Amino acid sequence: ASKSPRHFLSISELSPTELSTLVNNATAYKHSALQPTWPQRNALSNKTIALLFSKLSTRTRVSTEGAVVAMGGHPMFLGKNDIQLGVNESLYDTSVVISSMVSGIVARVGPHADIANLAKDSSVPVINALCDTYHPMQIVADFATLTQAFGTPAEKLNGLKIAWVGDANNVLFDMCIGARKLGIEMAVATPKGYEIPAKIKDEVDAAGRGTIFETNTPEEAIKGANIVVTDTWISMGQESEKQKRLQAFAGYQVTEELAKRGGAAEDWKFMHCLPRHQEEVSDEVFYGPRSLVFPEAQNRLWSAISTIEAFVVNRGEIRPPK
Ligand code: CP
Ligand code: NVA
């Protein structure tokens, strides 16, 4: 049997240099990947990449399909009406069968165990397109957004402070792990009862240098922040908790006033992976001059190209463009 492929399920699997390279490649591809002279434009020619999505998606679907096309491949989208992972057929059978016919799998699932099991039995690389615990391609895009906004390569982002104000979720977990790897200072404000779970905290602490400050007071996290980030308070799969969550997160909306009260850096920037709901951020911030949300969303395309190139085309060898 051939050597099992390298998968990409979380930022935690990357060395700091690999993370910086994926991020810097994403930023480089913004200027090169859609040019006719791009050397990788046929890298996936005659190859199929399966996109298994058991949850809704706008950015991740559009960016991964676009990334496969940019490299000359065929993205095969399989939504929850085509395949219900582990429901109409076991995860094992699904993984063995699909991976016998494609060159890579990009999967969006519920529980992390589902993608871990899919990867365990797959003969081709599996890339996590979001699960309940991680969202690695989002973090590659987010850090690429920072390199572009602050005009510095990923390995020099360590002078920045990020404040996360909101729910402790998949996006935050991979962001904390990535911040640790790059030495970015991070402060996290979540309501009482919605903190980072201990198991994830241990994983974050094991990820490297840098610090994560945790609080239940948004103003404390925001102090001196160059970037304020949030996400929905109700992730996919948590819809039944909506009322309870809206109450628990009262006072957590990111606004100009909150940032001012907290003492954010004067030129602070705002980020959000989207989709956005009104409760977590005011229109003034979301559509205002501080907001990086639309370049951040477009960076999902460059992040997907960088990631699929590294894990599918280059079989897990993460290197700068030739
Ligand atoms: N940010 C993000 O992953 O968006 P989608 O859920 O639309 O893919
Ligand atoms: N935390 C959100 C992110 C969506 C991109 C969710 O899991 O639904």
Side-chain angles (χ1 to χ4, degrees):
S2 59
K3 192 166 142 287
S4 63
R6 183 177 185 188
H7 306 294
F8 185 39
L9 305 191
S10 157
I11 295 291
S12 65
E13 292 149 5
L14 303 173
S15 73
T17 307
E18 287 177 331
L19 173 56
S20 293
T21 304
L22 275 185
V23 169
N24 292 336
N25 287 0
T27 291
Y29 291 157
K30 182 167 181 165
H31 306 288
S32 61
L34 298 185
Q35 302 300 317
T37 50
W38 190 46
Q40 299 286 40
R41 64 191 291 244
N42 294 315
L44 292 175
S45 138
N46 293 315
K47 295 194 158 71
T48 301
I49 308 299
L51 311 176
L52 267 57
F53 278 53
S54 61
K55 290 174 175 171
L56 292 176
S57 171
T58 299
R59 280 141 292 270
T60 309
R61 176 174 181 179
V62 172
S63 62
T64 50
E65 287 208 23
V68 172
V69 168
M71 289 180 267
H74 174 69
M76 179 186 287
F77 185 82
L78 299 165
K80 68 175 186 322
N81 293 328
D82 303 303
I83 286 187
Q84 276 187 285
L85 284 174
V87 175
N88 53 331
E89 191 169 7
S90 76
L91 267 170
Y92 175 84
D93 294 1
T94 306
S95 182
V96 171
V97 169
I98 293 181
S99 69
S100 75
M101 292 189 256
V102 303
S103 300
I105 295 174
V106 176
R108 169 168 284 202
V109 301
H112 178 67
D114 281 3
I115 192 148
N117 283 326
L118 202 62
K120 182 164 65 60
D121 302 311
S122 168
S123 57
V124 299
V126 173
I127 296 172
N128 188 354
L130 179 143
C131 66
D132 64 3
T133 319
Y134 305 108
H135 197 6
M137 283 194 287
Q138 180 69 50
I139 300 313
V140 172
D142 286 0
F143 287 0
T145 307
L146 294 180
T147 69
Q148 293 154 29
F150 292 90
T152 175
E155 58 279 11
K156 301 235 169 84
L157 290 173
N158 59 344
L160 295 176
K161 176 177 173 180
I162 299 177
W164 176 282
V165 177
D167 189 23
N169 65 18
N170 41 12
V171 175
L172 173 67
F173 301 157
D174 256 342
M175 187 177 287
C176 286
I177 293 166
R180 266 281 160 101
K181 288 186 190 278
L182 298 187
I184 300 170
E185 186 182 347
M186 228 176 134
V188 177
T190 56
K192 280 204 173 61
Y194 292 87
E195 292 88 355
I196 302 175
K199 197 170 152 271
I200 304 281
K201 192 68 202 329
D202 291 344
E203 197 185 331
V204 170
D205 286 341
R209 65 203 169 113
T211 54
I212 310 283
F213 168 79
E214 287 180 275
T215 172
N216 299 122
T217 310
E219 288 87 342
E220 276 181 21
I222 286 169
K223 196 169 175 8
N226 306 98
I227 307 107
V228 179
V229 193
T230 193
D231 183 12
T232 181
W233 298 339
I234 301 130
S235 283
M236 289 179 272
Q238 299 174 331
E239 292 76 9
S240 65
E241 298 172 33
K242 184 169 179 184
Q243 283 320 317
K244 195 178 86 178
R245 283 178 165 266
L246 288 178
Q247 276 172 12
F249 285 82
Y252 272 71
Q253 189 189 51
V254 177
T255 61
E256 286 289 341
E257 298 70 46
L258 177 68
K260 201 172 185 137
R261 256 195 339 270
E266 205 174 319
D267 58 350
W268 67 278
K269 302 288 183 203
F270 176 74
M271 288 179 48
H272 188 313
C273 64
L274 313 182
R276 171 247 182 172
H277 308 85
Q278 211 126 27
E279 58 262 16
E280 68 259 10
V281 54
S282 67
D283 277 351
E284 185 188 13
V285 169
F286 188 82
Y287 292 109
R290 302 182 183 287
S291 180
L292 300 177
V293 297
F294 295 120
E296 178 185 6
Q298 197 212 21
N299 279 326
R300 291 297 309 275
L301 176 59
W302 320 119
S303 157
I305 293 176
S306 171
T307 305
I308 293 172
E309 182 201 29
F311 284 88
V312 181
V313 176
N314 297 335
R315 301 287 292 186
E317 193 198 326
I318 303 173
R319 55 174 188 247
K322 290 225 168 78

